[in-house]
Amino acid sequence: MTKFKTFALGMLTAAAAQPVLATDLEVTHWWTSGAEAAAIRVISEGFQKSGNTWVDGAIAGAGGVARPLITSRITGGDPMGATQFTHGQAMRELIEAGFMRDVTEVAEAQGWKDQIFPQSLLDSCTFEGKLYCVPSNIHSQQWLWLNNAVFTDNGLSVPQNWDEFVAAAPKLREMDIIPLAQGQQSWQKQLMFNVLMVSIGGPELFERVYAGRDADYAAGSDVAKVFKAAAEARDLMEGSNVQAWNEAANLMISGRAAGQIMGDWVQGEFTQAGMTAGEDFSCLPGLGVNEYITAAGDAFYFPKVDDPEIIAAQDVLAGVIVSPETQVEFTKAKGALPVRRDVELRDPTPCMEKGMAILKEGHIVESINTMVSPDTVGRVTDLMIEFFADPSFSPETAQAEFAEIIATAD
């Protein structure tokens, strides 16, 4: 019997041995694009096989809209049964305040410590020795995605790095093609800047600025190169007048744009559109410069409740999320990487294989959300909103304001 079948049989036997406490469980999340909806369906269908009912609480508008709504419900006494969220200080504050339930017993019973990789995923869920979340997938942000045909049909080679991409932009503009598709939502502006921090500046620069709070370094020549690249990106984005990241992806899919800086979840949209990685589109980790990625991804958290049926359903959902069967199907649909070291990807794309290789090499950086407070993240985001919206906002002025933020960061 295979390891997977043994695990699945064990899950079924354990479920059969438990008293039936089937109930409705409201699960909030911000996965509403085509690929995301297909991915969350994998989890919901696996959960409903237990006899419980998944009550879908999708919130359109991605994390920038969903996070405050989710937080306000939990703190306001109207908690959902479970919620998708990202690792970071925002959820840590709710844990410290006593709003969230730990799932340590479930994790120990199912051996998560031996199977979930990298260890940082569990570390991000841990507070005072207890585990408060279930890692669902690994996502990285530091990717440049390219529509190959846009380049080859216009007599251009497909770029292999950021500088080649920038150099191709004038020819693309001549053909009425937007070089860089990018949504206008605030979190996407912050994402783009921090991708440039890691990919153009390098992982040491990123960590020295955010983890080290080195304001003098943030004002110096190394970080100036990042702001120069941000100004280039601002020029390349002109004409990309859409809001959501998947709308920007559609600009690229349709050939109206050549590339997009976005996390690896975007490849799920390309796959749904019938595009093949390595043939129709290319992916450059670290923008082809510094091949380092974040490995934070998403997790599910469980607010404290008094209802034993809800608690039992929370435990069932926790087990479903990390089960090998779910991990294989969910990550395939979402364009993510699995959190378990003992599963094999089903028909992985070349981009997924690149991501796995980078993880195995240990070329991982922390997310800004785990290094500084939500307030500091918000201040950086506000600066990037202003910078990317105003072509007259010089990179030198923006860098000076950024250094001031880092000087008072917490």
Side-chain angles (χ1 to χ4, degrees):
M1 185 177 291
T2 67
K3 186 183 296 184
F4 172 74
K5 288 181 179 177
T6 301
F7 180 93
L9 180 60
M11 288 284 287
L12 291 172
T13 302
Q18 298 298 318
V20 177
L21 294 172
T23 190
D24 294 347
L25 190 73
E26 182 191 6
V27 185
T28 54
H29 61 90
W30 56 78
W31 290 336
T32 57
S33 77
E36 290 174 330
I40 196 68
R41 196 178 306 120
V42 172
I43 297 177
S44 66
E45 290 177 354
F47 173 70
Q48 293 196 134
K49 289 177 182 177
S50 68
N52 291 287
T53 300
W54 173 286
V55 179
D56 197 70
I59 302 172
V65 173
R67 286 187 186 93
L69 292 177
I70 291 168
T71 300
S72 65
R73 279 194 57 184
I74 294 171
T75 58
D78 181 31
M80 61 294 294
T83 186
Q84 169 244 343
F85 218 80
T86 48
H87 301 270
Q89 292 296 328
M91 189 56 73
R92 176 59 62 93
E93 291 173 1
L94 292 178
I95 294 169
E96 292 176 351
F99 287 105
M100 309 308 292
R101 177 178 167 239
D102 81 83
V103 289
T104 309
E105 289 186 8
V106 178
E108 291 177 347
Q110 296 184 7
W112 295 2
K113 186 176 181 180
D114 295 328
Q115 300 301 344
I116 291 180
F117 172 84
Q119 178 64 35
S120 59
L121 295 176
L122 289 179
D123 291 344
S124 296
C125 290
T126 302
F127 176 67
E128 294 184 346
K130 300 289 187 179
L131 199 69
Y132 284 87
C133 69
V134 184
S136 59
N137 54 275
I138 297 171
H139 268 319
S140 51
Q141 299 178 348
Q142 296 74 21
W143 297 83
L144 174 60
W145 305 90
L146 305 169
N147 183 326
N148 293 348
V150 169
F151 293 94
T152 57
D153 289 352
N154 289 291
L156 295 167
S157 298
V158 178
Q160 300 300 305
N161 55 53
W162 175 253
D163 286 342
E164 292 181 7
F165 179 67
V166 173
K171 179 66 179 294
L172 295 171
R173 287 290 187 194
E174 289 177 10
M175 306 303 295
D176 260 349
I177 296 168
I178 302 166
L180 185 62
Q182 192 70 25
Q184 302 302 311
Q185 293 167 331
S186 58
W187 67 270
Q188 296 183 65
K189 306 296 181 63
Q190 182 251 100
L191 179 148
M192 174 171 285
F193 175 70
N194 283 307
V195 167
L196 293 169
M197 285 276 284
V198 173
S199 302
I200 301 300
E204 294 84 4
L205 177 148
F206 186 71
E207 292 174 2
R208 184 170 173 178
V209 170
Y210 287 126
R213 317 280 205 278
D214 192 333
D216 290 337
Y217 184 67
S221 58
D222 288 345
V223 177
K225 296 175 184 177
V226 176
F227 276 88
K228 176 180 178 293
E232 291 174 334
R234 182 173 60 189
D235 293 340
L236 300 178
M237 288 161 50
E238 185 178 349
S240 182
N241 299 318
V242 295
Q243 290 295 314
W245 64 268
N246 52 308
E247 292 172 333
N250 285 332
L251 290 177
M252 204 189 95
I253 291 167
S254 66
R256 288 175 288 167
Q260 181 179 11
I261 291 176
M262 187 47 60
D264 56 359
W265 54 86
V266 78
Q267 67 180 309
E269 299 297 307
F270 303 148
T271 301
Q272 284 226 327
M275 299 176 73
T276 301
E279 296 178 15
D280 301 314
F281 68 92
S282 296
C283 50
L284 301 181
L287 311 189
V289 183
N290 282 294
E291 294 191 351
Y292 280 74
I293 61 174
T294 46
D298 299 278
F300 282 78
Y301 294 78
F302 303 95
K304 282 184 177 177
V305 294
D306 294 326
D307 188 332
E309 292 186 3
I310 295 293
I311 293 170
Q314 290 174 334
D315 288 349
V316 170
L317 178 57
V320 167
I321 290 167
V322 298
S323 71
E325 180 181 26
T326 299
Q327 284 292 300
V328 170
E329 298 303 323
F330 173 79
T331 53
K332 177 67 175 177
K334 200 169 190 303
L337 299 176
V339 298
R340 296 182 67 104
R341 66 172 80 241
D342 62 341
V343 301
E344 292 186 9
L345 295 172
R346 182 170 62 85
D347 301 323
T349 69
C351 301
M352 296 172 78
E353 290 176 335
K354 285 183 182 181
M356 287 297 292
I358 291 170
L359 283 180
K360 290 177 181 178
E361 290 169 359
H363 289 182
I364 303 169
V365 293
E366 281 191 68
S367 164
I368 182 179
N369 295 317
T370 63
M371 292 193 286
V372 297
S373 70
D375 176 68
T376 298
V377 174
R379 291 163 65 199
V380 173
T381 301
D382 290 343
L383 174 61
M384 290 304 114
I385 292 171
E386 185 178 359
F387 175 75
F388 283 114
D390 183 2
S392 68
F393 195 164
S394 73
E396 292 78 15
T397 300
Q399 184 182 359
E401 293 189 16
F402 178 68
E404 290 177 7
I405 294 172
I406 297 304
T408 57
D410 56 359

